[in-house]
Amino acid sequence: MIPQEIKKDIFWVGTIDWNVKNFHGHTYTTQRGTTYNAYLILDKEIVLVDTVYEPFADEMIEKINKIIPPEKIDYIIANHVEIDHSGALVEILKLCPKAKILGTQKCKEGLYRNFYLDMDFRVVKTNDKLNLGKRTLTFIEAPMIHWPDSMFTYCPEEKLLLPNDAFGQHYATSKRFDDEVDNAELMDEAKKYYANILWPLGSIILKKIEELQKMSIPIEMIAPSHGIIWRKAPSKIINSYIAWAKNETEPKVVLVYETMWGSTERMARMIVEGIINSGLEVRLFDVTRSDRTEIIKEMLEAKGFIFGSSTHDNDMLPTIAGFLEFLKGLRPKNRLACVFGSYGWAGGAVKNIEGILKDIGIEIVQPSLSIQYAPSKEDLDNCYEFGKNFAYKIKGG
Ligand code: FEO
């Protein structure tokens, strides 16, 4: 693929990872693959903003070579230390050994701990500037969006924000811009990215967006380090981030369960019937047969969560236990929940799920529902009412 000019003399020199299906170890399933976006700015000084994951270093270098000999690079901006963006740094530095690297103090420390190399690293802070000739770059520290080292780079002359991971999506496509792709698909991936990576960081994200607004920096284009570049409507993704960061919700329920011999599943289906007949949107997931990344995305805007499990060894089943552990790390706020499950002799699943929800700070709004062995007709009627009652609570009753 050839480099793509995204603004006059600013080129996308990133790579498309069509085949990656698991990201961050196995914490994120990337069904649509991803891209690692790096950008080359040609001016009196030549700047590479971020690099790519190391296995794609040759592709990035080939693209750069089509524009300029890499030894002409004067600066490399390291907005983030994580190796999907810094992995190719070592290879590119072999070709431009005199290039100075700019990033935060934490980035400097992190790069050293990744590569154990001496680099000509210059630490920058918020509002520090780099004059390129016709253009300037301004740096904005963005700690914990999403690592301590994270930083945004802004070019005022181009009204261009290069925020690294923020506003990104794991979305492999031959297109580069928001106006070239299916918008529902794009927003679906942006939402999935926020839910699975940034959800616990909402208060920090809100403060950072407020800080950007106070800086009065006009933004016409947001070029993140994954996925599509926002040029048609950068405000759309900023406003979505504000809503997600505020934990704004919709009257929608997500039910997640795990069943051993089918009793908990029959309960789940009747609870969902009660919710549907109350007119609420609901999604049901057997956690053992569903993509966790997708469930978390569905939960991002849902007001109500329902969790169910059969009891095994006085506890919940292991897959839902792992799911709740993951959810705990995302620290969802402003949600209502309820719990159900079946057991043989001594229960335990329902009580332990309640305990985890309390730890997370999710309010349980009605008594849990437990049944022994297989549900009777009366038990199933109770499940239906359980669903209806929860729907009533979600509607504000
Ligand atoms: Fe895309 Fe935090 O790396």
Side-chain angles (χ1 to χ4, degrees):
M1 245 184 114
I2 54 166
Q4 192 162 347
E5 195 168 30
I6 64 163
K7 279 190 172 261
K8 173 106 178 83
D9 287 337
I10 302 180
F11 294 86
W12 175 81
V13 290
T15 57
I16 305 172
D17 192 347
W18 300 95
N19 289 319
V20 63
K21 296 298 170 221
N22 286 290
F23 204 80
H24 281 159
H26 280 249
T27 65
Y28 193 126
T29 57
T30 44
Q31 295 303 331
R32 291 193 175 104
T34 195
T35 74
Y36 311 108
N37 298 338
Y39 302 95
L40 188 71
I41 304 175
L42 304 187
D43 207 314
K44 188 157 166 276
E45 307 284 348
I46 295 180
V47 178
L48 177 65
V49 179
D50 293 316
T51 71
V52 298
Y53 187 31
E54 191 275 335
F56 297 88
D58 287 350
E59 271 190 37
M60 180 191 77
I61 290 166
E62 201 183 309
K63 284 194 183 79
I64 293 171
N65 254 319
K66 285 181 174 149
I67 307 165
I68 45 136
E71 63 263 28
K72 290 199 164 182
I73 295 172
D74 297 294
Y75 294 95
I76 300 174
I77 310 298
N79 278 318
H80 183 24
V81 80
E82 198 164 7
I83 57 166
D84 49 333
H85 309 295
S86 69
L89 191 58
V90 175
E91 288 306 309
I92 190 72
L93 273 177
K94 287 178 188 165
L95 303 175
C96 53
K98 290 190 181 155
K100 293 165 267 306
I101 303 166
L102 271 62
T104 62
Q105 175 64 31
K106 291 279 182 200
C107 183
K108 179 181 178 182
E109 293 162 15
L111 286 180
Y112 181 75
R113 295 294 303 180
N114 266 348
F115 302 121
Y116 298 96
L117 274 183
D118 283 328
M119 300 174 183
D120 186 356
F121 195 105
R122 315 276 167 98
V123 172
V124 291
K125 296 194 166 85
T126 294
N127 278 326
D128 282 354
K129 293 181 181 8
L130 178 68
N131 192 329
L132 306 184
K134 283 184 280 183
R135 303 182 189 83
T136 326
L137 294 180
T138 302
F139 305 106
I140 303 160
E141 292 164 277
M144 296 319 296
I145 307 177
H146 68 125
W147 277 21
D149 55 275
S150 298
M151 180 176 89
F152 297 173
T153 297
Y154 176 69
C155 178
E157 292 82 2
E158 303 289 352
K159 301 181 176 64
L160 169 66
L161 183 68
L162 301 145
N164 197 265
D165 278 327
F167 310 115
Q169 336 88 45
H170 288 310
Y171 188 24
T173 155
S174 55
K175 305 295 184 188
R176 296 274 59 83
F177 294 103
D178 53 349
D179 49 282
E180 298 175 323
V181 296
D182 181 292
N183 214 256
E185 210 170 75
L186 170 62
M187 288 311 294
D188 192 67
E189 288 303 332
K191 189 193 291 187
K192 196 187 294 177
Y193 190 94
Y194 185 95
N196 283 274
I197 297 180
L198 300 171
W199 196 347
L201 309 171
S203 57
I204 298 169
I205 289 166
L206 273 181
K207 274 193 199 134
K208 187 53 59 183
I209 291 175
E210 277 167 23
E211 184 187 322
L212 290 178
Q213 287 166 339
K214 276 186 195 146
M215 288 170 89
S216 297
I217 53 173
I219 297 171
E220 279 182 1
M221 183 183 283
I222 300 176
S225 60
H226 294 291
I228 284 295
I229 296 167
W230 306 89
R231 74 175 172 191
K232 183 184 173 202
S235 58
K236 181 173 178 174
I237 189 63
I238 293 174
N239 290 338
S240 293
Y241 264 52
I242 291 170
W244 295 330
K246 285 180 175 171
N247 272 281
E248 289 180 3
T249 59
E250 293 170 3
K252 168 181 161 183
V253 176
V254 173
L255 186 153
V256 184
Y257 73 96
E258 182 171 4
T259 195
M260 201 157 86
W261 288 111
S263 293
T264 299
E265 181 165 70
R266 290 173 68 197
M267 294 177 77
R269 294 185 66 82
M270 281 307 283
I271 292 167
V272 161
E273 280 298 305
I275 297 168
I276 292 171
N277 288 342
S278 302
L280 269 196
E281 185 186 347
V282 59
R283 294 291 308 268
L284 175 144
F285 294 100
D286 172 351
V287 71
T288 65
R289 290 184 282 171
S290 306
D291 176 349
R292 186 191 59 220
T293 304
E294 199 61 34
I295 304 174
I296 295 292
K297 179 203 76 184
E298 289 295 328
M299 295 175 95
L300 180 65
E301 292 172 340
K303 178 76 177 169
F305 301 163
I306 305 180
F307 300 101
S309 176
S310 318
T311 289
H312 179 265
D313 288 344
N314 303 109
D315 205 344
M316 70 196 85
L317 290 168
T319 310
I320 195 155
F323 179 87
L324 288 169
E325 191 60 30
F326 191 86
L327 183 69
K328 189 174 166 185
L330 297 175
R331 302 196 287 277
K333 292 187 174 59
N334 186 30
R335 315 291 155 142
L336 307 179
C338 61
V339 183
F340 70 98
S342 62
Y343 65 98
W345 49 103
V350 161
K351 185 166 133 293
N352 290 345
I353 293 174
E354 285 175 352
I356 290 175
L357 295 183
K358 281 174 195 155
D359 278 356
I360 301 175
I362 296 177
E363 187 185 354
I364 300 170
V365 289
Q366 64 192 40
S368 300
L369 183 63
S370 291
I371 65 112
Q372 190 175 21
Y373 292 111
S376 64
K377 163 86 176 57
E378 188 187 349
D379 289 330
L380 290 174
D381 288 346
N382 287 340
C383 289
Y384 182 85
E385 289 306 317
F386 186 82
K388 274 190 83 171
N389 193 53
F390 189 64
Y392 177 71
K393 296 266 169 59
I394 296 301
K395 286 175 172 174

